[in-house]
Amino acid sequence: MKAPVKKLGIAVDIVMYAIMLVQMFYIFTGNTFHEIAGIVLFVCLAAHIIIKRKHIKAILTGKLKNAGKAQKFSALVTCLLFVCMIVLMLTGMGVSRLLFPWFKLLQSSDLHRYLAAVALTLSAVHGGMHFFVRTKKKKRTAVLIVIIAAVCLALSLFGPPYINRHFRIVRVDYAQAVHGEKVEWNGKKPLVVYFTRIGNTDFDDDVDAVSGASLMYADGALTGSNELIADMLKDMLDCDTKPITLTGEKYPSSYGATVSAASKQLKNDARPEIEPIDASGIDSIILVYPLWWGTVPPPVSTFLESADLRGKTIYLVATQGSSGFSKSTGDIKKSASGADVKEVVSIYCEDIPTCRDTLLQHIKKIAP
């Protein structure tokens, strides 16, 4: 390979690695930058393939049959990375809200995030193998590749959620987020029942340090994410809302401590006491809840088991960090004896401040 082309290849590779790392922190860069950077990434991938076309051709035509184990392993990683990147591109188009809203395949944010983690890890191994086949210090290089790959995997899987939960502060314009088009609901209006950390947590003065997980500032006031969704539904349907509120011990201010407390409650199948919610005189409930450990928070289970929900329809609106409805639907069906339980939409936590239009379209589908 000629020197100028080789230098160009190295430059393209560096840009690709940099973009993949930056993309992991989309919670700070925003959706617009994330989608445009994704396009740049795949342009760089195309350039990389063109520059490395002879090596790729050798892999595809089986000319590496007599190569060493390291070269064969490197070729395998290259093939896996290529397939992963193509599917990553398709899932990126599927979850696009700006550039490819018309693309309806592979609309899974979970799949996209996991593929991004795998792609970054394989990229680290792919780059490391180029050094491995040339160096004499095989063991040291192999250990270094494994460490870098593990760091990439851990960073991509756990880094963004951790930063989002502990360092990201969300500020929204309440009127812009909540007010908008109305939906006609024939018959009795549904009751919106929601669970949020506001009213159920003893917050410290520095709560803004953990506001990215389930809290935000709406017009400067601390607001629960699910409270905001409930207000959207209230504006949309002109219906009543009721919060699920603990009457006993509240959850701790720290998000991590709340996660631990919830884990203990779920293991013990606890049912914390809540303020009674009168569900008589209504035909349907829109239940807005966060996923805790893949299911509903214990206070939500208390509501479902204490209220008379026989013959009612419960529409589910879940908020989550990565797992759709998970097992919450099945657990709700067990708790809400005699009710007809239907999934409406699962909203990713980052999308909550701007989810009104998405929520609107789903509510239109279920409105009688």
Side-chain angles (χ1 to χ4, degrees):
M1 185 180 294
K2 295 181 179 180
V5 177
K6 185 176 181 179
K7 289 181 179 179
L8 177 61
I10 293 173
V12 169
D13 290 352
I14 291 174
V15 171
M16 289 177 66
Y17 282 121
I19 291 175
M20 293 183 74
L21 285 170
V22 171
Q23 291 291 71
M24 291 294 127
F25 301 97
Y26 57 87
I27 57 176
F28 295 123
T29 61
N31 180 69
T32 300
F33 178 90
H34 188 76
E35 292 196 26
I36 293 174
I39 296 297
V40 176
L41 174 63
F42 285 99
V43 170
C44 290
L45 176 63
H48 177 86
I49 291 172
I50 293 171
I51 293 170
K52 303 286 186 179
R53 60 187 180 277
K54 291 184 179 179
H55 179 66
I56 294 173
K57 184 179 179 180
I59 294 174
L60 296 176
T61 56
K63 292 183 179 180
L64 296 179
K65 287 182 179 179
N66 298 322
K69 292 181 179 179
Q71 288 180 312
K72 288 182 179 180
F73 177 75
S74 180
L76 174 62
V77 171
T78 299
C79 293
L80 292 174
L81 178 59
F82 178 74
V83 172
C84 183
M85 292 294 282
I86 294 301
V87 182
L88 178 65
M89 177 182 68
L90 294 175
T91 58
M93 294 171 65
V95 299
S96 169
R97 301 194 299 269
L98 176 67
L99 300 178
F100 305 98
W102 47 267
F103 192 82
K104 302 300 182 182
L105 300 175
L106 297 175
Q107 294 180 297
S108 172
S109 297
D110 293 344
L111 179 60
H112 184 66
R113 284 190 289 274
Y114 295 142
L115 281 172
V118 173
L120 181 62
T121 305
L122 288 174
S123 295
V125 177
H126 174 73
M129 289 305 298
H130 287 294
F131 293 100
F132 182 85
V133 296
R134 291 175 175 82
T135 185
K136 294 180 180 179
K137 300 177 181 179
K138 300 294 186 183
K139 290 184 178 180
R140 182 182 298 180
T141 304
V143 171
L144 186 61
I145 291 172
V146 170
I147 292 174
I148 293 175
V151 169
C152 287
L153 184 62
L155 177 67
S156 53
L157 285 178
F158 305 112
Y162 181 84
I163 292 174
N164 188 42
R165 289 167 180 166
H166 294 276
F167 297 102
R168 179 171 175 256
I169 298 176
V170 181
R171 302 182 190 277
V172 300
D173 181 307
Y174 180 86
Q176 185 177 358
V178 169
H179 298 158
E181 184 181 343
K182 314 301 180 185
V183 176
E184 191 68 30
W185 189 286
N186 297 318
K188 294 180 180 179
K189 296 289 181 69
L191 173 65
V192 176
V193 177
Y194 67 95
F195 178 80
T196 193
R197 293 186 70 197
I198 299 293
N200 293 302
T201 304
D202 288 327
F203 288 118
D204 296 331
D205 292 336
D206 62 347
V207 65
D208 59 338
V210 294
S211 60
S214 52
L215 305 171
M216 64 187 67
Y217 287 105
D219 293 347
L222 192 62
T223 304
S225 297
N226 288 348
E227 179 183 3
L228 190 74
I229 292 177
D231 287 351
M232 291 178 189
L233 291 167
K234 181 178 180 179
D235 177 80
M236 202 179 294
L237 297 168
D238 188 26
C239 62
D240 293 330
T241 65
K242 293 287 186 181
I244 296 174
T245 306
L246 292 168
T247 56
E249 183 179 356
K250 307 291 185 181
Y251 289 105
S253 180
S254 164
Y255 181 84
T258 296
V259 170
S260 297
S263 176
K264 292 179 181 178
Q265 287 183 334
L266 290 168
K267 287 180 180 179
N268 295 327
D269 203 23
R271 294 294 183 266
E273 293 186 5
I274 64 171
E275 294 180 3
I277 295 177
D278 185 7
S280 62
I282 59 171
D283 297 328
S284 57
I285 292 172
I286 300 178
L287 181 63
V288 185
Y289 62 95
L291 283 188
W292 283 10
W293 294 99
T295 188
V296 295
V300 176
S301 296
T302 301
F303 160 70
L304 294 170
E305 293 173 4
S306 61
D308 185 4
L309 303 175
R310 290 173 296 178
K312 303 183 190 302
T313 301
I314 302 178
Y315 299 102
L316 307 183
V317 176
T319 58
Q320 40 78 21
S322 67
S323 50
F325 285 95
S326 193
K327 62 178 183 177
S328 67
T329 304
D331 290 342
I332 289 171
K333 288 180 178 179
K334 293 177 182 178
S335 296
S337 178
D340 182 14
V341 178
K342 298 181 179 180
E343 294 178 350
V344 178
V345 61
S346 179
I347 302 170
Y348 183 56
C349 57
E350 182 196 351
D351 296 332
I352 291 172
T354 57
C355 74
R356 193 187 192 281
D357 287 342
T358 299
L359 187 61
L360 176 75
Q361 299 307 316
H362 285 277
I363 293 300
K364 282 182 176 179
K365 293 177 183 178
I366 66 169

